[in-house]
């Protein structure tokens, strides 16, 4: 057990051992979830607040279920509808909540760095549920767990991440995580959706799916936001699908046993072919959702242990 | 009334020298420079002698581009607080920006600035005027009236006049009156929404970014219009290596062009932003280390003429926000010299080179006779110990706003005293 973090703000701050610790515990929770039946109430008596400054259905539900399975008192706050509208700053909102003494704060915010800022101002543990185009650590962890369970290992794999890299926090967290565990990372997408300076990230960059997917063990597709399809970043949806949408033909360039992943929600027919997404032999998209709950249970469990240890010291 | 500064290390940016001597001030002006070899005893009878104890005596800093938040945001900075900060920082002339609320774009508001400056600031204040009304980039201000009222230069600050036709007319008109126009080289479309310089750092942080090429594009456009109109032009901040050949060509072809750089772009780089630290958010954004070193070399070679503080007060509320939302700018009047001395201690620039860029060149560019250690020049002086170390505590700054990127950092170089027209405005000699 080597997990010593107070918060889970990003993968960048984690050591390989931290990652393995979370994944090992998540594996255990995944089995318990499958088996059904009651869980140990390791979060009993703790208050978990989900603060979502940006719309989310699946991530919020996943955190809520994870907390409830472990016995936490979970409260959801739809921040778009609340005080932000009244002109309150992020820090004031944080201080207000802090005064209510929550134990775990799960935060999603549309701006990069906002969760880091908030974490500086509160006493409880903060979990980043996605901030701008910065990090989405639990997504990378659930992806890693899915890969590890399917491939039997999480090193020396060739992982292709395809699509809108520039705006994707999922891509960044995955690049950090897979890189720390010695995997070979390829980024594939149109150059307008590649971040500047990507060449210095220690990854290979392609603008051609056939070349980029050659020999890949894992194919990770990213969601393309609707507002980016209007000619500003790519000419049209159909040209994007033709060149970068994943279908069986393009997937044939990857290894025969390559798995297909997507963080959801999917745009069928834009970045991924619907039939392929449903192909239980290749697509692990449903398993990703399942692992999401397990990983979040593990992350909150570990943070809560550190928090309890810290409180006892005082 | 005369004052004799003895045993001083005189920094003369004009001659490029740094040597021991004494300096006699009479009626607010420098009367005589006396070399260390000369006998002082019996030569001069003075009412007032200041022993500089071998510390540096240099011409006071002329800082182009200081934002005093009057009118409009006096809670962020007033002429009183900015003036005190300037005096404590060795800045003897503040050339103030017109990007206030409302903008300084008519003779009446300029008159207000002059009045407030006179009653509240211990240092000289030269106000700049907006170039277009409300800094909106549509109609030019009354350039003639503004000159009559004492406008030192014309600038819309970081509101780039996007319409080239409007700008070309402003420049043509300004040229006819001999006015100095200060531009902010930046392509406003390419840099829209950006808060950091594009590259590995920005991408990993997931922050909206702009390529430094936006600065080159803005500079190219401005220089083309300068060539067209022959106006006197100063680029407020050059921050990227790729702008330098463009600037060099313009100067070589005989255009009346000068360029500045902010102290932050000479002493900090993009990595200092670290984990979204908003006190490091400035405009244009901090650049790569390669760009920073290129700027330092350009100051050394004289290609970049002027170092400014780009003093921009922001209160805590404007900075304690997510990085993208946070306001840009940093206070720097008091930290300008200590930060600049980092470059001296790093052996990148001599003291004479530093004061050429901070005092002599800005003074010359504005047609002033200060910025020099020479008989006849105004006795605007700063006495400092370049080696004295200290740790900067932002709450000890005299500015009302405390948004400095140097908080908690080790600095080397303390200001001992500041004189404006021979009158002490800071230090124990008052």
């Amino acid at each position: 057990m080597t997990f010593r973090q107070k918060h889970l703000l990003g993968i960048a701050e984690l050591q390989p051992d931290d990652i393995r610790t979370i994944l090992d515990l998540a594996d255990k929770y995944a089995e318990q979830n499958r088996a059904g039946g009651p869980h140990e109430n390791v979060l009993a008596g703790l208050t978990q607040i989900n603060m979502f400054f940006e719309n989310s259905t699946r991530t919020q539900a996943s955190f809520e279920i994870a907390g409830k399975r472990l016995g936490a008192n979970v409260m959801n706050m739809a921040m778009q509808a609340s005080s932000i509208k009244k002109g309150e700053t992020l820090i004031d909102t944080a201080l207000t909540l802090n005064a209510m003494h929550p134990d775990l704060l799960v935060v999603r915010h549309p701006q990069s760095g906002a969760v880091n800022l908030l974490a500086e101002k509160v006493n409880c543990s903060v979990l980043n549920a996605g901030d701008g185009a910065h990090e989405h650590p639990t997504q990378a962890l659930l992806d890693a767990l899915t890969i590890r369970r399917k491939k039997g290992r999480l090193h020396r794999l060739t992982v292709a991440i395809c699509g809108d890299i520039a705006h994707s926090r999922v891509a960044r967290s995955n690049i950090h995580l897979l890189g720390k565990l010695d995997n070979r990372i390829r980024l594939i997408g149109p150059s307008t959706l590649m971040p500047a300076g990507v060449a210095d990230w220690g990854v290979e960059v392609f603008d051609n799916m056939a070349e980029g997917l050659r020999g890949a063990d894992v194919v990770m597709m990213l969601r393309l936001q609707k507002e980016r399809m209007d000619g500003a970043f790519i000419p049209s949806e159909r040209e994007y699908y033709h060149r970068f949408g994943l279908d069986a033909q393009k997937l044939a360039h990857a290894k025969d046993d390559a798995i297909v992943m997507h963080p959801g929600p999917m745009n069928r027919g834009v970045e991924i072919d619907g039939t392929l997404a449903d192909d239980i032999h290749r697509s692990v998209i449903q398993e990703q959702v399942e692992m999401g709950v397990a990983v979040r249970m593990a992350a909150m469990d570990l943070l809560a242990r550190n928090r309890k240890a810290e409180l006892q010291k005082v | 009334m005369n004052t004799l500064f003895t045993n001083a290390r005189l920094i003369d940016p004009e001659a490029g020298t740094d040597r021991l001597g004494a300096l006699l001030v009479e009626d607010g002006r420098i009367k005589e420079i006396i070399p260390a070899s000369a006998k002082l005893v019996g030569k001069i009878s003075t009412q007032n002698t200041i022993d500089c104890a071998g510390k540096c005596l240099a011409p006071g800093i002329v800082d182009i581009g200081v934002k005093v938040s009057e009118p409009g945001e006096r809670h962020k900075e007033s002429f009183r607080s900015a003036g005190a900060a300037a005096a404590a920082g060795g800045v003897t002339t503040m050339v103030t920006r017109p990007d206030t609320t409302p903008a300084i774009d008519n003779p009446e508001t300029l008159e207000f600035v002059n009045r407030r400056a006179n009653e509240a600031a211990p240092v000289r204040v030269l106000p700049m005027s907006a170039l277009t009304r409300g800094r909106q980039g549509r109609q030019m201000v009354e350039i003639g009236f503004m000159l009559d009222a004492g406008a030192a230069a014309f600038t819309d600050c970081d509101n780039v006049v996007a319409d080239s036709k409007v700008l070309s007319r402003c420049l043509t008109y300004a040229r006819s009156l001999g006015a100095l126009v200060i531009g902010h080289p930046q392509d406003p479309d390419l840099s829209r929404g950006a808060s950091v310089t594009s590259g590995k750092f920005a991408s990993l942080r997931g922050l909206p970014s702009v390529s430094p090429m936006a600065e080159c594009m803005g500079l190219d456009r401005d220089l083309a219009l300068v060539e067209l109109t022959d106006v006197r032009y100063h680029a407020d901040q050059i921050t990227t290596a790729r702008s330098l050949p463009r600037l060099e060509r313009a100067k070589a072809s005989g255009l009346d062009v000068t360029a500045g750089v902010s102290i932050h772009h000479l002493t900090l780089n993009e990595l200092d932003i670290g984990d979204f630290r908003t006190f490091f958010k400035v405009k244009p954004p901090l650049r790569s280390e390669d760009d920073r070193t290129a700027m330092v070399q350009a100051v050394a070679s004289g290609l970049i003429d002027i170092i400014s503080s780009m003093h921009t007060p922001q209160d805590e509320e404007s900075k304690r926000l997510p990085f993208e939302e946070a306001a840009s700018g940093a206070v720097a009047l008091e930290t300008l010299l200590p930060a600049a001395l980092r470059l001296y201690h790093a052996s990148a620039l001599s003291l004479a080179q530093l004061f050429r860029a901070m005092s002599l060149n800005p003074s010359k560019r504005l047609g002033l006779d200060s910025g020099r250690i020479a008989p006849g020049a105004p006795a605007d002086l700063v006495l400092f110990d370049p080696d004295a170390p200290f740790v900067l505590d932002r709450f000890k700054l005299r500015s009302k706003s405390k948004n400095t990127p140097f908080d908690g950092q080790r600095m080397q170089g303390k200001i001992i005293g500041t004189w404006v027209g021979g009158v002490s405005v800071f230090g124990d000699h008052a």
Side-chain angles (χ1 to χ4, degrees):
Chain A
M1 184 66 64
T2 57
F3 190 82
R4 301 242 179 278
Q5 312 283 332
K6 181 181 179 190
H7 306 296
L8 180 61
L9 300 178
I11 302 293
E13 296 88 51
L14 300 183
Q15 300 299 319
D17 270 355
D18 292 330
I19 296 168
R20 287 188 203 103
T21 304
I22 299 175
L23 296 184
D24 291 348
L25 183 61
D27 235 346
K28 193 189 96 185
Y29 280 127
E31 293 312 319
Q32 286 183 13
N33 286 343
R34 276 197 185 167
H39 290 275
E40 270 182 84
N41 285 338
V42 294
L43 300 183
L46 300 185
T47 307
Q48 171 195 343
I49 300 182
N50 297 336
M51 281 171 90
F52 280 65
F53 294 88
E54 193 181 73
N55 279 332
S56 161
T57 312
R58 52 180 60 221
T59 306
Q60 186 171 341
S62 182
F63 269 108
E64 186 173 352
I65 290 171
K68 285 183 169 163
R69 285 215 175 127
L70 296 179
N73 298 312
V74 186
M75 188 181 128
N76 288 313
M77 295 183 68
M79 299 309 296
Q80 281 169 321
S82 81
S83 47
I84 291 296
K85 284 264 162 68
K86 297 175 191 161
E88 190 175 60
T89 66
L90 179 64
I91 289 180
D92 285 335
T93 307
L95 293 177
T96 305
L97 280 178
N98 193 48
M100 302 178 194
H101 300 295
D103 300 286
L104 297 160
L105 205 53
V106 179
V107 187
R108 169 170 288 191
H109 198 281
Q111 292 191 342
S112 302
V115 182
N116 298 57
L117 176 67
L118 201 143
E120 285 172 20
K121 308 291 173 188
V122 297
N123 300 324
C124 62
S125 292
V126 176
L127 288 97
N128 183 358
D131 63 324
H134 180 218
E135 284 243 34
H136 191 353
T138 55
Q139 178 71 42
L141 289 164
L142 73 88
D143 288 341
L145 182 60
T146 309
I147 295 170
R148 196 171 82 168
R149 288 167 68 101
K150 283 289 170 188
K151 292 285 162 197
R153 67 175 199 273
L154 196 54
H155 58 272
R156 291 177 176 255
L157 293 168
T158 301
V159 182
I161 306 178
C162 318
D164 183 0
I165 313 287
H167 302 95
S168 175
R169 51 195 174 213
V170 176
R172 282 172 182 73
S173 288
N174 265 307
I175 291 165
H176 282 305
L177 192 153
L178 295 167
K180 281 175 197 275
L181 299 180
D182 300 326
N183 294 282
R184 185 170 170 180
I185 303 165
R186 296 180 183 168
L187 305 181
I188 315 171
S191 45
T192 45
L193 295 174
M194 279 294 166
V198 70
D200 301 327
W201 284 11
V203 298
E204 298 166 87
V205 181
F206 298 86
D207 62 0
N208 176 308
M209 288 286 272
E211 286 172 27
L213 292 180
R214 190 159 299 140
D217 297 289
V218 177
V219 183
M220 217 178 251
M221 302 306 296
L222 297 174
R223 173 178 169 76
L224 184 66
Q225 303 280 342
K226 284 266 186 231
E227 61 267 25
R228 306 213 164 100
M229 301 175 194
D230 60 357
F233 287 89
I234 53 165
S236 71
E237 206 176 300
R238 61 182 190 176
E239 179 162 326
Y240 184 81
Y241 181 64
H242 178 72
R243 295 189 59 209
F244 298 101
L246 187 68
D247 54 20
Q249 202 187 345
K250 292 196 190 89
L251 185 61
H253 294 282
K255 280 194 185 151
D256 291 342
D257 63 348
I259 56 171
V260 175
M261 309 178 77
H262 193 298
M266 277 184 284
N267 295 304
R268 290 169 185 262
V270 179
E271 68 254 356
I272 189 163
D273 173 57
T275 319
L276 183 58
D278 297 333
D279 180 352
I280 53 162
H281 301 293
R282 310 303 296 270
S283 163
V284 296
I285 296 170
Q286 294 309 313
E287 183 157 355
Q288 284 176 274
V289 178
E290 185 189 353
M291 292 309 124
V293 176
V295 153
R296 285 166 185 133
M297 290 166 78
M300 289 195 289
D301 181 0
L302 290 168
L303 289 175
R305 289 183 205 182
N306 290 349
R307 178 167 169 74
K308 282 177 192 161
E310 195 188 325
L311 288 177
Q312 274 167 4
K313 259 188 252 164
V314 178
Chain B
M1 169 78 188
N2 58 16
T3 308
L4 182 67
F5 293 86
T6 60
N7 197 19
R9 190 174 152 192
L10 295 169
I11 312 296
D12 182 345
E14 215 167 14
T17 56
D18 172 350
R19 59 186 170 201
L20 283 173
L23 184 142
L24 179 68
V25 171
E26 198 173 271
D27 298 329
R29 290 190 176 266
I30 297 171
K31 169 90 171 159
E32 196 180 346
I33 317 288
I34 304 139
S37 51
K39 283 259 186 300
L40 286 174
V41 185
K43 190 177 177 197
I44 298 154
S45 69
T46 54
Q47 295 158 312
N48 188 8
T49 300
I50 292 167
D51 182 357
C52 298
K55 304 302 184 214
C56 297
L57 189 66
I61 297 167
V62 177
D63 192 2
I64 299 184
V66 174
K67 174 149 182 191
V68 178
S69 309
E70 273 189 77
E73 292 175 305
R74 207 157 140 183
H75 61 288
K76 291 187 178 178
E77 191 82 291
S78 68
F79 277 98
R80 191 172 306 281
S81 60
V91 174
T92 50
T93 304
M94 293 194 286
V95 184
T96 58
R97 299 210 309 252
D99 55 344
T100 45
T101 320
I104 310 301
D105 62 356
N106 61 62
E108 289 73 23
T109 49
L110 192 67
E111 172 58 30
F112 166 82
V113 170
N114 277 327
R115 182 167 56 76
R116 283 290 298 142
N118 274 329
E119 69 192 20
V123 301
R124 299 179 202 273
V125 176
L126 288 176
M128 294 193 283
S129 162
L131 183 62
T132 65
R133 289 186 201 175
R135 303 194 299 127
Q136 296 292 308
R138 285 193 285 273
Q139 303 155 286
M140 68 179 88
V141 300
E142 295 166 315
I143 296 177
F145 282 161
M146 296 305 268
L147 281 172
D148 293 345
F154 293 81
T155 179
D156 275 356
C157 302
D158 58 352
N159 274 14
V160 176
V161 180
D163 188 324
S164 298
K165 183 160 267 180
V166 170
L167 182 60
S168 76
R169 286 185 185 137
C170 291
L171 297 186
T172 304
Y173 194 88
R175 163 77 180 91
S176 71
L177 294 171
L180 175 68
V181 174
I182 299 184
H184 179 72
Q186 194 71 217
D187 185 273
D189 295 316
L190 194 59
S191 57
R192 197 187 320 120
S195 54
V196 285
T197 300
S198 62
K200 181 185 179 186
F201 171 79
S203 300
L204 283 177
R205 286 291 181 280
L207 291 168
S209 63
V210 59
S211 162
M213 195 54 88
E215 177 183 308
C216 303
M217 290 166 67
L219 186 62
D220 282 341
R221 195 275 306 247
D222 285 7
L223 291 177
L225 291 178
V226 171
E227 193 176 336
L228 182 72
T229 59
D230 213 19
V231 73
R232 295 170 60 215
Y233 177 87
H234 174 71
D236 67 347
Q237 297 183 69
I238 295 296
T239 61
T240 182
R242 280 199 265 196
S243 290
L244 297 176
R246 294 164 157 87
L247 186 62
E248 202 166 10
R249 276 199 300 276
K251 285 187 164 187
S253 69
L255 300 182
D256 191 353
V257 168
T258 50
V261 62
S262 91
I263 188 63
H264 300 117
H265 291 93
L266 290 175
T267 52
L268 303 169
N269 68 29
E270 57 186 351
L271 300 179
D272 286 307
I273 294 167
D275 279 332
F276 307 97
R277 295 193 286 172
T278 58
F279 280 16
F280 291 80
K281 183 176 180 182
V282 293
K283 220 173 179 179
L286 293 175
R287 305 300 197 194
S288 67
E289 177 62 8
D290 287 348
D291 276 342
R292 186 193 71 82
T293 51
M295 294 309 105
V296 174
Q297 282 162 16
V299 171
S301 75
L303 179 57
I304 288 183
D305 307 87
I306 292 169
I307 300 173
S308 300
S309 70
M310 283 295 149
H311 181 81
T312 306
Q314 298 290 0
D315 55 13
E316 303 288 299
E317 278 62 46
S318 332
K319 283 288 189 183
R320 286 174 53 177
L321 291 169
F323 198 86
E324 279 173 62
E325 278 176 41
S328 297
V331 292
L333 279 167
E334 248 171 290
T335 50
L336 172 59
L337 182 52
L341 287 172
R342 284 185 171 184
L343 302 170
Y344 162 70
H345 292 300
S347 303
L349 293 170
S350 70
L351 290 175
Q353 283 174 318
L354 276 177
F355 282 89
R356 183 183 67 192
M358 294 193 299
S359 304
L360 178 66
N361 285 345
S363 189
K364 282 205 303 204
R365 192 53 172 151
L366 296 167
L368 310 174
D369 56 357
S370 58
R372 296 176 301 140
I373 294 283
D380 293 1
L381 299 166
V382 54
L383 177 65
F384 63 97
D385 177 351
D387 301 313
F390 68 102
V391 175
L392 189 95
D393 174 359
R394 70 189 184 108
F395 294 106
K396 294 207 171 124
L397 293 177
R398 285 154 183 85
S399 285
K400 282 192 186 177
S401 296
K402 311 294 181 191
N403 54 308
T404 173
F406 296 112
D407 185 40
Q409 292 198 25
R410 287 155 200 260
M411 313 292 280
Q412 211 180 342
K414 269 188 182 167
I415 289 110
I416 301 166
T418 307
W419 290 263
V420 175
V423 176
S424 173
V425 293
F426 174 76
D428 297 331
H429 308 283

